[in-house]
Amino acid sequence: EIISQRKCVKILPSPSFLLHPTQTPPVGRRQSEHPTLLCVSDGSPMESPSDPLPSHRPPTNEFIASMLKRAREEGRVTYDSSKYDFEGHFERMFTPLEGPLSSIHARPVPATPAPISLALLHGFKVAGVKMPPAWNKVLRHKKDRLKKFLATKAYKDFKATFDTFVREEIAPLIGDPQGLVYQCPPTIRVQLPSKNPMGVPHKDADYERHVEEEVNIWVPVTDTFDTNTLFTESQPGKKDFHPLECKYGEAVRFWGNQCWHYTVPNQTDATRVSFDFRVIPMSLYDAGRFDGLIGDYPCAFTGPLSEP
């Protein structure tokens, strides 16, 4: 579980270095706290690259090129939020804070216990909220806290829904008959109203090990609008930066590996909670080249698409 990304709407000043290169983008390997692991979505080990792929006929090169071109185009998908109750999952993962996710910032901060979610703690820290000693202590022991978080029933329930969501909604959206390799667990992000943006403008290719075959999926768990969202360009180098404004129950696909994206200070009165992950069509996934990862993130395999 990790942290957050954002965007804005109306008066959206694009980062100056995107238009006038005066700044060096962050380059370097992202540090992952997750073990190297490639598994199918039920948790069992994935077959090695030398094993035969599932029984589908391998797609042609023309099909793969067309599929990848389509997958890299910014697009939106609507899903059934009653089937995929991400809001309920996050409310349970964010205990002891209670109530609507978008108003987390307006609630009293309990001295103890500290939230189990590192993403939530990080969101408060970035926003400059004064946190109780127990919260700061947790941030000094992130690896231990992460292990505890991943072992909770709340997280395991979320992961089960997440795996089903990727298998039944995202894999068909990408369209590779062989299935999809996807970052698992996804990155969780929490952006409270504050004067501080989260992260820096970048494209994922700025970081070691990220490859052009990746496609990003961004799933807000709260409504996103104005300055509490993620900004991106629609195509690499186009610089048509725009906010991803979504209602809960919508997700966005975009080519974050090559498209610049960033957040701005959240000047709304609503906290944004989202999660995001990267996917690679199985037909293009080379476990030897990618070390069984996507970037530095562990990943899972959906299995092949179901026959029509």
Side-chain angles (χ1 to χ4, degrees):
E1 94 129 328
I2 317 181
I3 335 180
S4 143
Q5 252 183 354
R6 244 112 313 173
K7 348 177 194 161
C8 41
V9 82
K10 301 183 179 166
I11 313 171
L12 306 173
S14 299
S16 59
F17 83 86
L18 293 178
L19 304 177
H20 309 285
T22 60
Q23 217 170 313
T24 302
V27 178
R29 179 168 178 164
R30 286 182 179 170
Q31 297 301 310
S32 172
E33 294 178 345
H34 306 294
T36 299
L37 175 66
L38 187 62
C39 58
V40 295
S41 58
D42 66 0
S44 58
M46 181 179 170
E47 56 198 4
S48 71
S50 59
D51 292 333
L53 288 172
S55 58
H56 289 267
R57 179 175 299 174
T60 64
N61 290 339
E62 291 78 9
F63 176 89
I64 291 174
S66 175
M67 172 190 67
L68 192 57
K69 180 177 184 295
R70 184 176 62 251
R72 287 170 170 174
E73 295 173 353
E74 184 178 313
R76 190 169 301 228
V77 59
T78 300
Y79 64 90
D80 183 352
S81 59
S82 63
K83 178 179 180 181
Y84 306 104
D85 182 22
F86 292 127
E87 182 178 49
H89 285 306
F90 274 79
E91 288 175 352
R92 290 184 286 276
M93 288 192 294
F94 284 0
T95 185
L97 299 184
E98 297 178 349
L101 298 172
S102 61
S103 60
I104 281 175
H105 62 281
R107 260 166 259 149
V109 176
T112 57
I116 194 72
S117 166
L118 286 174
L120 183 58
L121 290 165
H122 181 82
F124 274 85
K125 181 179 179 179
V126 170
V129 176
K130 185 175 181 180
M131 296 189 294
W135 292 35
N136 287 313
K137 182 179 179 180
V138 167
L139 287 173
R140 293 194 295 270
H141 301 87
K142 292 181 181 179
K143 289 187 178 181
D144 289 342
R145 196 62 165 197
L146 180 61
K147 289 179 181 178
K148 291 179 180 178
F149 175 79
L150 296 178
T152 62
K153 182 179 186 301
Y155 170 76
K156 290 178 179 179
D157 289 347
F158 161 72
K159 183 181 178 299
T161 301
F162 168 68
D163 288 336
T164 302
F165 173 72
V166 178
R167 185 173 60 252
E168 297 185 1
E169 306 295 334
I170 304 305
L173 178 71
I174 300 300
D176 185 354
Q178 303 283 11
L180 205 61
V181 178
Y182 61 101
Q183 174 190 334
C184 184
T187 299
I188 297 173
R189 308 186 192 270
V190 181
Q191 185 182 19
L192 280 66
S194 79
K195 298 181 292 184
N196 305 317
M198 294 196 74
V200 296
H202 69 282
K203 55 186 188 298
D204 289 0
D206 294 332
Y207 297 92
E208 263 185 78
R209 303 172 62 87
H210 283 278
V211 296
E212 291 189 0
E213 290 88 346
E214 296 172 19
V215 174
N216 296 54
I217 309 295
W218 187 78
V219 187
V221 190
T222 54
D223 292 350
T224 59
F225 58 93
D226 199 54
T227 55
N228 75 351
T229 186
L230 180 68
F231 286 85
T232 184
E233 55 184 344
S234 62
Q235 297 175 20
K238 194 167 183 179
K239 298 185 175 68
D240 57 340
F241 299 103
H242 56 282
L244 300 182
E245 295 190 307
C246 299
K247 294 291 186 181
Y248 174 52
E250 295 180 318
V252 177
R253 174 197 67 205
F254 72 105
W255 194 17
N257 185 267
Q258 294 296 313
C259 290
W260 286 94
H261 47 285
Y262 62 96
T263 67
V264 298
N266 179 0
Q267 298 178 347
T268 74
D269 62 354
T271 291
R272 189 251 304 176
V273 177
S274 63
F275 65 91
D276 55 86
F277 55 101
R278 295 144 188 84
V279 305
I280 297 177
M282 184 65 198
S283 296
L284 295 172
Y285 191 82
D286 182 339
R289 173 187 166 205
F290 302 150
D291 295 333
L293 302 168
I294 293 182
D296 273 339
Y297 299 110
C299 48
F301 174 45
T302 61
L305 293 186
S306 300
E307 296 283 5

